[in-house]
Amino acid sequence: MARYLALRVLQAIWVLWAAFTISFVVLYLLPADPISIAADGGGTGTPVDKAAIAELQARYGLDRPLWEQYWTALGHAVRGDLGHSIATGQPVTGAIGDALPATLELTGLALLFAALGGVALAFASTYSRRPWLRSALAALPSLGVSVPTFWTGLLLLQLFSFRLRLAPAFGGHGFAGTVLPALTLALPIGAVIAQVLTAGLASTWRQPYVDVALAKGGSRWWVQRKHVLRPASVPTFTIAGVLIGNMLAGSVVVETVFARQGVGRLTQTAVLAQDIPVVQGIVLLTSVVFVTVNLAVDLLYPLLDPRIATRSRRAAKDEAADDRFGAAEGAAIHG
């Protein structure tokens, strides 16, 4: 177990380094100059004093060779210093910290809606005995995935904010101001959960031990909850990291449509201004969330399906036996 955890931590460090390096290279290859964009903050196009631009470039280290900028930025990032925003001068950690609570509120509620809706739809589509109803319910996730997020948001705004006036249209706070953005963000995520879980449930229902549980007198509902759900949910947890990544990416669109402040809006602003330190800070934040979620899922696998733990223990025993056999054979040869 310790070896497995050490390997996963090394993989996580590799992912974080790769994300930082790729974002650094891509941002510095862009043709525009972030200092010129920041100096012309009003967007008037008025020529900016070259001496002022040179002073700002020296302040942020952009006048040094690219390799030196990279090593300096990487060293600071390892120590937890993500630098300062070129556009505002605010520390990157402070900017992300200010935007993070609103995004956590949005994504937390959206994840709750997506999980409840996706699981309920998967249960209904596999539990029903009517073929036409199962087919109709199984087709709904594909529709949810294909609908653009911004179109869903605009539709919910038009219906619940402008016509029914049940929720604030823009920039709302609390549950009333978050429910529409959360529903918009939850729709494609819940559709993916329903697709994967439906396939897992359908496959698990065909396993021999399920037939045994039914033959012993268990109802379909009891068997589905007690014997089918846990092993069938393993593929759903496998894509948890991808779903979290999609949710963070979708927050950019949702926070823009609903005029909410958060990491999504901060990302949009930083990309438009080519604010390199802020973009890199957000990339690192997303990477940390991704590797943490995937590590947690890997650790949950044996709890969801005991067969995985059994196979892992058997593989460990086989590996240990091979090592002992190799050592004994080597001793016999040299002895």
Side-chain angles (χ1 to χ4, degrees):
M1 189 65 176
R3 179 182 177 185
Y4 172 77
L5 287 177
L7 181 61
R8 294 295 294 171
V9 170
L10 290 176
Q11 290 176 345
I13 294 174
W14 164 259
V15 170
L16 294 177
W17 173 81
F20 180 88
T21 302
I22 293 173
S23 64
F24 182 91
V25 172
V26 170
L27 288 169
Y28 275 92
L29 288 178
L30 294 177
D33 179 15
I35 294 296
S36 299
I37 296 175
D40 187 22
T44 60
T46 304
V48 183
D49 185 13
K50 293 184 178 180
I53 291 180
E55 192 274 332
L56 287 173
Q57 287 177 336
R59 180 189 304 175
Y60 289 100
L62 299 178
D63 58 340
R64 291 178 291 180
L66 186 61
W67 65 268
E68 186 177 346
Q69 296 181 45
Y70 170 76
W71 284 113
T72 301
L74 181 60
H76 289 167
V78 170
R79 295 192 297 269
D81 180 11
L82 300 178
H84 290 73
S85 168
I86 296 176
T88 65
Q90 182 184 9
V92 174
T93 52
I96 295 177
D98 292 341
L100 193 58
T103 300
L104 289 178
E105 180 185 17
L106 171 63
T107 54
L109 189 59
L111 186 60
L112 176 63
F113 288 160
L116 293 177
V119 171
L121 183 57
F123 259 61
S125 62
T126 54
Y127 182 77
S128 176
R129 294 179 178 273
R130 295 180 174 84
W132 66 268
L133 183 58
R134 287 201 304 267
S135 299
L137 293 175
L140 290 179
S142 300
L143 179 62
V145 172
S146 62
V147 174
T149 303
F150 73 90
W151 185 84
T152 304
L154 293 176
L155 184 64
L156 292 178
L157 276 175
Q158 180 67 27
L159 179 61
F160 292 102
S161 295
F162 298 139
R163 291 196 176 184
L164 300 179
R165 302 186 182 278
L166 296 177
F170 303 109
H173 299 284
F175 181 80
T178 309
V179 61
L180 292 185
L183 286 173
T184 303
L185 189 58
L187 180 62
I189 305 300
V192 174
I193 292 175
Q195 279 183 323
V196 177
L197 185 56
T198 298
L201 289 171
S203 175
T204 308
W205 267 109
R206 295 191 291 268
Q207 298 299 316
Y209 66 85
V210 175
D211 295 332
V212 173
L214 291 172
K216 288 182 177 180
S219 65
R220 282 179 59 85
W221 176 250
W222 183 84
V223 170
Q224 179 146 315
R225 286 188 298 110
K226 296 295 184 179
H227 295 281
V228 176
L229 178 60
R230 284 176 58 183
S233 62
V234 171
T236 306
F237 279 93
T238 302
I239 62 170
V242 177
L243 294 179
I244 297 297
N246 290 341
M247 188 165 288
L248 292 175
S251 68
V252 177
V253 177
V254 172
E255 289 176 357
T256 301
V257 171
F258 289 90
R260 289 177 57 91
Q261 296 300 318
V263 175
R265 287 292 295 276
L266 180 64
T267 304
Q268 179 198 27
T269 304
V271 170
L272 291 177
Q274 292 192 18
D275 198 339
I276 296 172
V278 175
V279 175
Q280 285 188 307
I282 295 172
V283 169
L284 283 178
L285 171 66
T286 306
S287 302
V288 168
V289 172
F290 178 82
V291 298
T292 302
V293 170
N294 279 277
L295 179 59
V297 169
D298 287 343
L299 296 178
L300 281 174
Y301 279 161
L303 299 179
L304 295 173
D305 192 347
R307 293 174 298 177
I308 296 177
T310 303
R311 286 195 295 266
S312 299
R313 288 193 295 267
R314 187 178 302 146
K317 290 180 180 179
D318 293 342
E319 184 178 353
D322 291 341
D323 291 341
R324 289 194 298 269
F325 177 77
E329 185 178 17
I333 292 175
H334 294 291

